[in-house]
Amino acid sequence: MDDINLHYRFLNWRRRIREIREVRAVRYRERFKKIQRNGDVLRYHGNSDEVGCYVAPRPVSKGNCYFEVTIIDTGVRGMIAVGLVPQNYKLDHQPGWLPQSVAYHADDGKLYNGNTVGQQFGPKCNRGDRIGCGIFIDPLSDGKITVFFTKNGKEVGKVEVGRPPEGLYPALGMHSLGEEVQLDLLAEWRREDEDGMMIVDSHEDDWSRLHDVTATGTLLEYRGKGKSMVDVGLAQARWPLDTQAHYYELEIMSGGEKCYIALGLARRDYPKNRHPGWSRGSIAYHADDGKMFHGSGVGDPFGPRCNQGDLMGCGIMFPRDYNQEPGGQYNQEPGDDSEDWEPDAQSKDSQVQNDLYANNEEEEEEEEEEEAEGAEGQKVMVFFTRNGKLVGRREVVLPPGGFYPTVGMMSTGEKVRVELHPLSG
């Protein structure tokens, strides 16, 4: 009976993740018209009678609340606009011209707030200037939000606007030949208000430990040496997974030199210089070779490799009788047996051996200790996903205090974006 219940619960998980992935497949797709993009550089590609417009794939949020545009060339007229628009904004209009959009225009220094008639707002902007746009992290009542603009790192002004249900997306408009800009959607801007509050939230409070890793919003970036096994960068969440928040995921923004990125769970006192999965009380899915590491430096073939742009997820299916302190029992939702549970086929790439994960005496001792302790403690089912599809699962013993989301990185240039609560909201 327990196996049947677990099967139904997993089907619910799989359906829910698939629905979210389908929504994000549309939501997380950039849109542009009459604009050419080459990396971070965007160029106007019209005949000056047509507006060129770019809309970013993700809305601004508490974890990603600011972006910047650097003017490389003003072209013929310098009609460059930077601002925020709804998700389905018409791409033949400058940001700020249509309802629920707002933008700062470089050519006249005016603010356009849902109207083709602008209001005097700040100085004009020219070649070499940086125009920034962001939101205050404190939510305002009645669906309002405060948007601010900067020029070369200094605040120009702010305005209160309505916030559509799907959020507001970074947008860029251009309207004359030769216009060219550089876009930085991960820019950081900090300012201390009189009360000492920061506008940009670093999200460092979400993490209990950051070792050789920096956090900027939801972006984690490796800052270690990346030369040997001891150069692991570790980020461990402040709170463990539980029956209310039982899944998290990361998106690989950059694989760096080796893509030694690991997503998993670990005990609270996990060693800071050990990749998740290497030592006792941890389990992880490693991007570079697609292997699962469970308390050992030797991994098991598990799933496909992961690279830049891939989404890796990790969660726990708690047993029905799991007693979460200080809360109560986990309540199972009704299941649906319309689907069969078949984990994705393992990739041939997962057979590749990585010399960095060679076993040693210390790891063998830890593995023996884990086996000795395995007879005690409550067991849970840990599962991993890749791009919204199940890769596999493993039953493990829950360590005292629970399993904490833990991310490891180990080569220069690695960057990931982590959503600790992707199934909420």
Side-chain angles (χ1 to χ4, degrees):
M1 182 62 68
D2 288 341
D3 290 341
I4 294 176
N5 290 333
L6 187 61
H7 174 71
Y8 287 162
R9 288 171 54 197
F10 182 80
L11 292 178
N12 286 333
W13 266 101
R14 186 178 180 182
R15 185 183 306 106
R16 191 176 181 188
I17 292 171
R18 184 176 64 248
E19 290 172 352
I20 291 172
R21 291 271 71 80
E22 289 174 352
V23 171
R24 291 181 179 178
V26 176
R27 185 182 182 188
Y28 293 163
R29 183 174 63 232
E30 63 184 5
R31 300 188 302 125
F32 51 91
K33 182 178 181 180
K34 303 300 179 184
I35 284 179
Q36 284 185 337
R37 179 169 185 179
N38 183 13
D40 294 334
V41 177
L42 282 71
R43 301 180 180 87
Y44 178 72
H45 192 60
N47 58 14
S48 290
D49 292 329
E50 305 165 305
V51 170
C53 187
Y54 168 90
V55 178
R58 289 179 172 79
V60 288
S61 62
K62 180 179 178 181
N64 187 25
C65 59
Y66 180 75
F67 72 101
E68 283 186 342
V69 170
T70 300
I71 300 176
I72 299 175
D73 196 327
T74 56
V76 177
R77 290 178 291 176
M79 300 180 70
I80 298 169
V82 178
L84 300 173
V85 301
Q87 180 184 12
N88 296 316
Y89 193 77
K90 294 183 179 180
L91 299 180
D92 55 355
H93 288 71
Q94 283 272 32
W97 283 2
L98 297 179
Q100 294 187 309
S101 71
V102 61
Y104 178 28
H105 285 224
D107 61 315
D108 55 14
K110 290 183 178 182
L111 180 76
Y112 290 76
N113 187 5
N115 198 308
T116 54
V117 178
Q119 303 173 348
Q120 198 56 50
F121 185 66
K124 297 180 180 180
C125 301
N126 301 295
R127 182 176 181 178
D129 286 333
R130 288 183 293 114
I131 304 175
C133 177
I135 61 172
F136 284 97
I137 63 174
D138 293 330
L140 299 176
S141 60
D142 301 325
K144 298 287 185 178
I145 194 168
T146 299
V147 179
F148 67 92
F149 294 91
T150 66
K151 178 185 177 184
N152 298 328
K154 296 182 179 180
E155 184 178 338
V156 174
K158 56 190 176 183
V159 61
E160 187 177 285
V161 300
R163 182 176 183 177
E166 72 274 14
L168 289 169
Y169 290 68
L172 164 72
M174 292 188 277
H175 201 176
S176 74
L177 294 174
E179 293 172 354
E180 184 175 346
V181 302
Q182 183 173 9
L183 176 66
D184 185 1
L185 293 174
L186 301 177
E188 181 179 2
W189 183 74
R190 297 174 181 268
R191 178 176 70 84
E192 292 188 2
D193 289 337
E194 293 180 358
D195 60 1
M197 295 294 292
M198 290 290 188
I199 288 179
V200 177
D201 183 8
S202 70
H203 272 230
E204 289 188 0
D205 288 344
D206 289 341
W207 304 95
S208 62
R209 290 190 295 165
L210 292 170
H211 174 67
D212 283 344
V213 171
T214 58
T216 305
T218 56
L219 185 74
L220 298 181
E221 186 171 358
Y222 177 67
R223 294 297 189 184
K225 297 178 181 179
K227 300 296 183 181
S228 68
M229 289 178 61
V230 299
D231 294 329
V232 171
L234 195 78
Q236 187 172 65
R238 187 172 298 277
W239 298 280
L241 293 186
D242 55 31
T243 57
Q244 300 301 315
H246 33 239
Y247 175 78
Y248 82 104
E249 64 186 11
L250 66 78
E251 178 181 1
I252 301 177
M253 308 302 293
S254 173
E257 292 183 357
K258 303 290 186 179
C259 203
Y260 288 150
I261 296 170
L263 166 91
L265 303 169
R267 65 182 193 266
R268 187 172 185 176
D269 59 345
Y270 192 77
K272 65 181 182 180
N273 61 346
R274 301 284 289 172
H275 241 338
W278 282 1
S279 296
R280 179 175 54 84
S282 70
I283 183 172
Y285 178 27
H286 286 223
D288 63 307
D289 55 13
K291 293 185 177 182
M292 174 194 283
F293 291 76
H294 181 201
S296 172
V298 176
D300 298 326
F302 185 65
R305 296 180 179 182
C306 301
N307 301 291
Q308 183 172 329
D310 284 332
L311 287 156
M312 303 173 67
C314 178
I316 297 177
M317 289 184 286
F318 291 93
R320 178 185 288 272
D321 60 351
Y322 177 72
N323 186 21
Q324 178 185 325
E325 297 293 342
Q329 301 288 329
Y330 172 78
N331 295 320
Q332 178 187 353
E333 297 180 359
D336 183 351
D337 60 357
S338 61
E339 299 181 52
D340 292 329
W341 178 16
E342 291 293 340
D344 294 350
Q346 294 180 355
S347 169
K348 293 181 180 180
D349 291 339
S350 66
Q351 304 296 329
V352 178
Q353 177 66 37
N354 190 329
D355 292 337
L356 280 175
Y357 305 137
N359 203 2
N360 56 36
E361 294 180 359
E362 178 186 353
E363 290 159 352
E364 289 176 352
E365 292 176 358
E366 290 175 346
E367 194 169 7
E368 291 175 358
E369 291 178 9
E370 184 176 20
E371 291 176 355
E373 296 181 2
E376 300 179 0
Q378 190 161 18
K379 291 184 178 181
V380 296
M381 190 66 69
V382 175
F383 67 94
F384 294 92
T385 66
R386 178 178 180 268
N387 298 329
K389 296 182 179 180
L390 176 71
V391 176
R393 59 170 182 161
R394 177 166 294 184
E395 189 177 54
V396 299
V397 175
L398 194 68
F403 265 136
Y404 290 73
T406 306
V407 175
M409 294 184 279
M410 206 173 63
S411 76
T412 304
E414 293 173 354
K415 298 179 184 178
V416 300
R417 185 181 299 281
V418 181
E419 292 288 348
L420 291 174
H421 307 288
L423 299 181
S424 62

